[in-house]
């Protein structure tokens, strides 16, 4: 007699199929854009621009949904529609903001919630525009930084910020525009906006002229030149003490990005891990401990 798979096995299998489908779809899109760039470059630029500013929405896992149910639901109004978030811990406690990365959601940093609350902090996590349960379809580093500023106007200043991946540069831009943060931890942060675009155009196999046209198209769309987002300019006025945690085996954002950020950021330190990659690093107990210790550390 055949045995029926248990629920957890079925769920894991379904999620694996979802991931494979998403990867297959992305591969097809990439192939189509590469081909189009050789036939109608202007159409390829328009389509690539749309892809570059459109994050994929990710769902909360079962454990994340359970944690969300323990939090207080929040909503921050903004012209493009409300930002949805959650809060844990006493309202009067020093607030710590969790910032997800590109195509992420607020619950991805759930491993930090209980330890921070146990240290006497109030933890806040929001789905930024175009992500999770918040409104919007498109997102850029500028629009996401504006989202953080809107959150800061209502919920700040912040005793600390914990940001993953693209959330790192978004937080930096927001802080330079006035977001008040006492100290921060960036986990697997990318370094330079020009590098992000260069990797994207290389992935699409765009030629030099098409890549330049895409850059100009995106600069018009975002409203800021990539040169103005040069990490070397941003870190010169780094606004808070920073700890960077980066994995040596990160295939999405290489370790060199974290090393460059620390090299140019005053009052920054680097902690390295191995074998955790870009996402599992968020659930590693030692990474959680390093993060919580730094965020709750009192200035000497």
């Amino acid at each position: 007699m055949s045995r029926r798979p248990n629920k957890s096995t079925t769920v894991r299998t379904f999620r694996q199929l979802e991931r494979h489908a998403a990867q297959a779809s992305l591969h097809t899109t990439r192939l189509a854009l590469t081909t189009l760039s050789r036939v109608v470059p202007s159409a390829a630029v328009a389509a690539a621009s749309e892809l570059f500013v459109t994050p994929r929405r990710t769902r909360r896992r079962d454990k994340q949904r359970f944690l969300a149910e323990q939090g207080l639901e929040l909503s921050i109004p903004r012209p493009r529609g409300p930002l949805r978030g959650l809060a844990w811990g006493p309202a009067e406690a020093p607030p710590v903001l969790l910032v997800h990365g590109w195509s992420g959601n607020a619950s991805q940093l759930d491993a930090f919630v209980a330890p921070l609350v146990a240290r006497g902090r109030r933890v806040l996590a929001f789905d930024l525009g175009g992500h999770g349960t918040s409104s919007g379809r498109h997102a850029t580093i500028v629009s996401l930084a504006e989202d953080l500023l809107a959150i800061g106007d209502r919920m700040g200043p912040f005793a600390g910020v914990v940001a993953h991946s693209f959330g790192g540069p978004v937080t930096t831009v927001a802080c330079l525009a006035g977001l008040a943060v006492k100290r921060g931890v960036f986990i697997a942060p990318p370094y330079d906006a020009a590098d992000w675009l260069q990797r994207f155009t290389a992935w699409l196999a765009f030629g030099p002229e098409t890549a330049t046209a895409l850059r100009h198209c995106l600069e018009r769309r975002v409203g800021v030149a990539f040169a103005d987002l040069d990490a070397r300019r941003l870190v010169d006025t780094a606004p808070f003490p920073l700890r960077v945690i980066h994995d040596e085996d990160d295939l999405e954002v290489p370790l060199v990005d974290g090393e460059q950020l620390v090299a140019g950021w005053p009052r920054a330190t680097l902690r390295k891990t191995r074998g955790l990659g870009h996402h599992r690093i968020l659930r590693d107990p030692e990474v959680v401990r390093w993060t919580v210790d730094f965020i709750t550390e009192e200035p000497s």
Side-chain angles (χ1 to χ4, degrees):
M1 180 182 294
S2 62
R3 298 173 60 186
R4 295 180 64 185
N6 62 41
K7 181 180 178 181
S8 63
T9 301
T10 303
V11 169
R12 284 197 302 271
T13 302
F14 178 70
R15 286 176 181 153
Q16 289 170 352
L17 289 172
E18 277 189 319
R19 284 197 296 271
H20 291 326
Q23 290 168 356
S25 175
L26 199 58
H27 176 75
T28 301
T29 300
R30 173 191 180 191
L31 181 62
L33 286 175
T34 301
T35 303
L36 187 61
S37 70
R38 296 167 183 163
V39 182
V40 189
S42 60
V45 166
S49 170
E50 183 73 9
L51 180 63
F52 193 80
V53 300
T54 306
R56 291 182 294 109
R57 291 188 187 267
T58 53
R59 303 180 198 172
R60 293 171 178 159
R61 302 191 305 268
D62 291 340
K63 184 177 179 180
Q64 292 171 336
R65 283 195 290 270
F66 174 78
L67 182 66
E69 291 171 359
Q70 315 307 308
L72 173 68
E73 291 188 0
L74 302 172
S75 180
I76 302 291
R78 60 174 190 149
R80 298 186 299 278
L83 297 171
R84 306 294 184 187
L86 295 161
W88 300 266
E92 67 278 6
V96 174
L97 181 65
L98 307 181
V99 183
H100 64 74
W102 187 259
S103 292
N105 63 68
S107 297
Q108 285 184 321
L109 286 82
D110 62 335
F112 301 94
V113 173
L116 284 167
V117 171
R119 293 281 188 95
R121 300 303 190 265
R122 187 185 196 208
V123 181
L124 306 169
F126 284 83
D127 292 330
L128 300 182
H131 293 76
T133 59
S134 289
S135 60
R137 179 164 178 254
H138 299 127
T140 68
I141 188 172
V142 173
S143 71
L144 297 180
E146 290 173 345
D147 291 344
L148 292 188
L149 289 171
I151 295 167
D153 287 343
R154 291 295 187 97
M155 314 300 295
F158 297 109
V161 167
V162 181
H164 177 233
S165 192
F166 191 64
V170 168
T171 300
T172 302
V173 171
C175 286
L176 296 178
L179 184 70
V181 172
K182 186 177 179 181
R183 53 181 47 229
V185 174
F186 289 175
I187 302 172
Y191 180 61
D192 189 4
D195 287 343
W196 316 335
L197 181 59
Q198 185 176 11
R199 293 170 191 167
F200 182 65
T201 54
W203 178 72
L204 291 172
F206 278 5
E209 291 185 4
T210 307
T212 299
L214 176 60
R215 178 181 183 131
H216 293 159
C217 176
L218 287 169
E219 287 177 337
R220 290 191 298 271
R221 187 166 192 165
V222 175
V224 63
F226 277 89
D228 294 333
L229 298 174
D230 188 313
R232 284 166 287 275
R233 293 187 182 185
L234 299 180
V235 301
D236 282 344
T237 53
F240 51 79
L242 176 69
R243 170 167 287 175
V244 172
I245 305 175
H246 216 123
D247 193 77
E248 295 178 358
D249 301 315
D250 191 327
L251 299 180
E252 295 189 33
V253 180
L255 173 62
V256 66
D257 280 38
E259 292 175 331
Q260 289 178 314
L261 181 60
V262 169
W265 187 297
R267 300 178 294 166
T269 57
L270 175 66
R271 291 289 183 95
K272 300 178 186 178
T273 62
R274 179 177 295 175
L276 296 176
H278 192 66
H279 293 285
R280 283 192 297 121
I281 193 171
L282 294 176
R283 310 199 67 78
D284 181 74
E286 191 167 36
V287 170
V288 173
R289 178 173 59 81
W290 287 343
T291 299
V292 174
D293 286 348
F294 187 80
I295 289 294
T296 60
E297 179 182 307
E298 293 299 329
S300 58

